[in-house]
Amino acid sequence: MAAFVAKQMMGSQLKAVKGQLPGAGGGDDDGDKEKEEEAERERLEAIAEAEERRKEKHRKMEEEREQLRQGIRDKYNIKKKVVEEAAMPAEPDNPLMRKKKTPEELAREAELADQDEFTKLKNSLETQVNEIKQQIEEKMRSIHGKCVLQ
């Protein structure tokens, strides 16, 4: 099969090189193009067919392995582990293997961080204003008390 695919791939290239040699008869270009297109189509079909056979082979091998696994589970009374998508941790242990964040998620996180900064600033300003209010009220009381006493 590999020889067929290699011949199909290299054959069309060799024909193109042979056609470019001086003295080579370059009379029927339309026929050559049709032949090349047909060869390319055959090559693609051969590749697709080989891929299908490979997938089928691996599917059969996996079925056989699963049958062997099930036999072992039955023999030793082992329950099959059920892998659930929800049970998997959201963040993998390895940070290099984590899912990349979308621009929307990054924007949302930045907005939350900004809100947090604004909230902190707002809270600190509110506390400062309250302290100043208390100081002013104390001074007003002390001034008012002195005015009344005099």
Side-chain angles (χ1 to χ4, degrees):
M1 180 63 198
F4 173 74
V5 173
K7 182 179 177 184
Q8 290 296 322
M9 289 184 350
M10 296 304 292
S12 62
Q13 293 175 356
L14 288 175
K15 288 178 186 175
V17 171
K18 287 180 185 176
Q20 293 176 358
L21 292 176
D28 194 14
D29 289 337
D30 291 336
D32 289 341
K33 288 181 181 178
E34 289 176 6
K35 288 178 184 178
E36 288 176 13
E37 289 174 3
E38 180 66 28
E40 182 67 18
R41 237 180 286 127
E42 289 176 5
R43 184 182 71 83
L44 293 175
E45 288 174 6
I47 290 172
E49 181 182 331
E51 183 68 18
E52 287 297 319
R53 282 192 300 231
R54 185 190 67 80
K55 285 182 180 179
E56 182 65 21
K57 176 184 170 186
H58 286 283
R59 187 187 62 76
K60 286 180 182 177
M61 287 172 51
E62 189 59 33
E63 284 178 3
E64 291 173 2
R65 289 179 185 151
E66 186 57 35
Q67 288 175 354
L68 287 173
R69 290 182 196 119
Q70 189 59 43
I72 292 170
R73 283 188 212 109
D74 292 342
K75 183 177 178 181
Y76 295 105
N77 295 325
I78 300 172
K79 291 187 166 91
K80 184 176 180 179
K81 292 182 182 178
V82 178
V83 178
E84 295 180 14
E85 297 288 328
M88 297 295 287
E91 294 276 332
D93 294 337
N94 185 352
L96 297 176
M97 299 299 290
R98 72 173 189 264
K99 186 184 123 198
K100 291 184 179 179
K101 294 181 180 177
T102 63
E104 294 81 22
E105 291 173 335
L106 292 172
R108 193 175 319 119
E109 285 181 3
E111 184 177 319
L112 290 174
D114 289 343
Q115 285 179 352
D116 289 342
E117 290 177 18
F118 288 129
T119 305
K120 289 177 186 176
L121 180 63
K122 178 184 168 192
N123 291 339
S124 67
L125 289 175
E126 286 177 352
T127 55
Q128 289 176 358
V129 167
N130 288 335
E131 289 174 4
I132 293 172
K133 275 184 180 179
Q134 288 175 354
Q135 290 175 358
I136 292 173
E137 288 175 358
E138 288 175 8
K139 287 184 180 182
M140 291 299 284
R141 285 183 197 142
S142 66
I143 293 174
H144 189 285
K146 287 181 184 178
C147 292
V148 172
L149 293 175
Q150 292 176 351

